[in-house]
Amino acid sequence: MIAAIVALAAALAAGHLVAAFVGPQASPLLAVGNTAIDLTPSWLKDFAIATFGTADKLALLVGMGGVLLGLAVLAALASGRGPAPGTVLIVAVGVLGLVAVVTRPDVGRLAAAAPLASLAAGVATWLLLHRRASPSDVVETAGTRPDRAGPDRTDSGAERTDEVPHGTRASGATPGRRQFLVTAGGAAAVAGVAGLAGGFVGGARDATSSRAAAPPLRATRRLPAPPNDADFAKLGTPTFLTPNDAFYRIDTALSVPQVPADDWRLRIHGMVDRELELSYDDVRRRGLIERRITLCCVSNQVGGELISTATFTGVDLGDLLRDAGVRDGAQQLLSSSSDGWTCGTPIDVLLERDRGAMLALGMNGQPLPLEHGFPARLVVPGLYGYVSATKWVTDLEVTTWDRRRAYWLDRGWAREAPVKTQSRIDRPSANATMPAGRVIAAGIAWAQHTGVAKVEVRLDGGRWQEATLSADVSDDTWRMWHIALDVDRPGSHRIACRATDKSGYTQTAERMGVLPDGATGHHTITFTTE
């Protein structure tokens, strides 16, 4: 068992170390994980997000670790008579890692070196430790003859009575066991050093220092601070602006892509009059703008938390496209991330003068966090992120729907996905116990790019009552609401909420799941008074 686990550690460490030199996405573990994400059916992806939320990637890594440990145990159990079964299993897993790496769209020509190093280290360590763990010498005691089979006999032919009891080992076996443990410990130490070295080398090549060195992002005209009544945080709503470290993150990147600003280039091509290639400094020199925008994920369940608001700094995406000259017949902008993920956005939406679509470089006064797309990402108000919010963006192709299909289209999701008018209850929390009497209910509502006009609340199936709304900062941001409810009767109670947007549409009560274009239904919670 020890031999198999140490061989697994050696394989992972070797792959991690080599990947630090040829590209982090060449790590077999990450490549297999990313491939698993790509192949995951939509229903399972939705289950993972609903169950684990923003910890879905950690859950995947933990699950992969459990599978690998299980395979190591299987290799050990199957190899009691010899190393061949375990070797075959290791080679099979190694080949799987190799295939996963070489088929990734975001790796270079040398990427195969990482899974090959992992395979070689795993097999070599397994064979070495298995050989050391298998007894090769016959234990001798006084008067034994290693060249004779059967029980030891005295010179007179009588059987000796001082033989080693069945099922035990003489003290002479201890050095062999000790040698195995020393070898295993040494191999584990080497694996640990290799893993740490891979982390150090990879860390030296990440984009953290590039982000830290990025000059301040100063818009030509700063937005005023949000008004004091833009939220009701004291009553239980979120703050109007979401801190960067609390902003939700849902994407397909198992490891955060590392793109230094100096190396970043954005190519705009396809059905355009003039192909453009822009550097980070080119974008900065265009004159930066600020826009406050609420983003939400299409995987957000009714009442879910996958929604946040920030002040984004960047340039108008529509202006970039107009500079390139969009040709007649163009239908979508296919944006690609540095890790190969693709997203299709309706071109007519991006060219709307008042849409506010952005190529963003900053978030809440800072360069984009690495997890949120540094050096650059797309932000399009009013569309769910899977059709609008490409992070680590490096390529923009103006094309048609038939010519190119984005990542999620082949997985059952809708081609066009405007954000649906929705609302959520944040206070009371579900299943809370409160004193009877006046109960304050509070929450949020959103209807990007249309704006929220009204929120209503219903207690225990009664009449709808209009709530007080926060300041209307922008049609592209959420609004907070609160209401005082008289709950004099002790016991269990239900609160439901609904929003009406500025077009006059009131969100439907019909409960629908997130697939194919976002969830619907009234958020309802149950609480108790006493």
Side-chain angles (χ1 to χ4, degrees):
M1 196 75 68
I2 295 176
I5 293 174
V6 173
L8 170 63
L12 294 177
H16 186 58
L17 176 60
V18 176
F21 292 95
V22 301
Q25 301 304 319
S27 168
L29 182 65
L30 295 181
V32 171
N34 285 323
T35 300
I37 290 174
D38 291 348
L39 297 177
T40 297
S42 295
W43 65 266
L44 184 55
K45 171 229 177 219
D46 294 337
F47 170 80
I49 293 177
T51 304
F52 302 107
T54 55
D56 56 340
K57 296 172 185 62
L58 176 60
L60 175 61
L61 288 172
V62 171
M64 290 175 62
V67 170
L68 289 174
L69 281 175
L71 290 175
V73 171
L74 179 61
L77 294 176
S79 302
R81 295 179 177 275
T87 304
V88 170
L89 185 57
I90 292 171
V91 171
V93 174
V95 170
L96 176 64
L98 177 62
V99 172
V101 169
V102 299
T103 56
R104 294 298 303 169
D106 54 336
V107 297
R109 296 178 179 178
L110 298 178
L116 289 175
S118 182
L119 176 58
V123 170
T125 304
W126 166 250
L127 292 176
L128 173 65
L129 293 181
H130 194 280
R131 184 169 62 249
R132 293 291 173 87
S134 300
S136 58
D137 296 321
V138 176
V139 177
E140 293 189 30
T141 57
T144 63
R145 295 186 182 181
D147 58 340
R148 294 180 58 188
D152 292 339
R153 297 179 179 272
T154 62
D155 291 341
S156 62
E159 295 186 3
R160 294 180 56 91
T161 59
D162 57 348
E163 58 184 348
V164 180
H166 180 70
T168 66
R169 293 191 178 207
S171 60
T174 301
R177 177 67 173 170
R178 185 182 300 118
Q179 184 181 39
F180 165 74
L181 292 176
V182 169
T183 304
V190 171
V193 170
L196 291 174
F200 177 79
V201 174
R205 298 180 59 183
D206 69 18
T208 302
S209 58
S210 176
R211 179 179 182 270
L217 298 169
R218 295 190 176 91
T220 55
R221 187 172 64 181
R222 299 289 302 276
L223 290 174
N228 292 332
D229 58 349
D231 65 51
F232 302 130
K234 291 182 179 180
L235 299 180
T237 72
T239 57
F240 178 74
L241 291 176
T242 308
N244 287 352
D245 59 359
F247 205 98
Y248 82 92
R249 179 198 167 197
I250 296 292
D251 52 54
T252 63
L254 190 56
S255 65
V256 176
Q258 304 292 322
V259 186
D262 290 344
D263 297 338
W264 179 80
R265 295 292 184 275
L266 177 67
R267 182 188 178 207
I268 304 176
H269 63 108
M271 298 175 66
V272 297
D273 297 329
R274 296 166 297 279
E275 184 172 318
L276 302 179
E277 183 171 302
L278 303 172
S279 69
Y280 189 77
D281 288 339
D282 290 336
V283 176
R284 288 175 52 87
R285 284 193 291 264
R286 291 182 64 91
L288 302 178
I289 57 175
E290 285 185 340
R291 288 177 179 149
R292 291 195 176 107
I293 299 171
T294 295
L295 298 181
C296 56
C297 182
V298 72
S299 295
N300 201 32
Q301 303 284 344
V302 172
E305 298 182 350
L306 303 180
I307 179 169
S308 303
T309 300
T311 301
F312 291 96
T313 305
V315 298
D316 190 280
L317 182 57
D319 287 347
L320 282 178
L321 295 174
R322 280 183 281 270
D323 286 352
V326 176
R327 294 176 182 170
D328 292 341
Q331 296 173 319
Q332 72 160 323
L333 181 69
L334 189 87
S335 52
S336 299
S337 170
S338 65
D339 65 352
W341 186 81
T342 56
C343 164
T345 311
I347 199 75
D348 57 339
V349 172
L350 299 177
L351 293 175
E352 292 175 6
R353 291 285 182 177
D354 67 343
R355 172 61 62 165
M358 297 180 70
L359 174 69
L361 305 182
M363 185 172 168
N364 289 332
Q366 302 175 1
L368 288 169
L370 300 186
E371 296 82 2
H372 293 287
F374 180 83
R377 67 170 296 170
L378 300 188
V379 177
V380 183
L383 299 181
Y384 284 118
Y386 83 99
V387 297
S388 70
T390 304
K391 295 183 276 193
W392 314 287
V393 62
T394 59
D395 189 274
L396 300 177
E397 180 183 358
V398 179
T399 183
T400 63
W401 295 115
D402 291 338
R403 190 173 301 171
R404 296 292 305 274
R405 291 182 63 82
Y407 183 91
W408 285 114
L409 255 62
D410 291 328
R411 292 164 172 80
W413 295 85
R415 188 177 72 183
E416 300 178 33
V419 171
K420 296 182 177 180
T421 300
Q422 284 287 345
S423 56
R424 185 183 80 194
I425 301 166
D426 290 293
R427 177 184 176 186
S429 58
N431 303 315
T433 299
M434 311 178 70
R438 176 150 290 196
V439 171
I440 301 297
I444 62 174
W446 60 95
Q448 310 93 295
H449 179 66
T450 306
V452 174
K454 180 172 66 175
V455 172
E456 297 169 289
V457 176
R458 181 164 62 182
L459 174 66
D460 293 333
R463 65 181 181 85
W464 288 102
Q465 304 177 59
E466 189 167 345
T468 299
L469 291 179
S470 64
D472 191 2
V473 176
S474 166
D475 289 346
D476 294 327
T477 58
W478 54 16
R479 293 186 77 175
M480 315 298 178
W481 58 267
H482 74 85
I483 189 172
L485 300 170
D486 293 324
V487 189
D488 297 325
R489 176 179 59 83
S492 178
H493 302 276
R494 289 187 302 114
I495 296 178
C497 65
R498 69 182 186 185
T500 300
D501 64 32
K502 291 181 181 179
S503 75
Y505 170 79
T506 299
Q507 72 178 91
T508 178
E510 183 180 6
R511 201 65 175 250
M512 298 291 290
V514 298
L515 192 70
D517 59 358
T520 64
H522 293 166
H523 186 211
T524 303
I525 63 103
T526 301
F527 68 100
T528 301
T529 56
E530 57 183 21

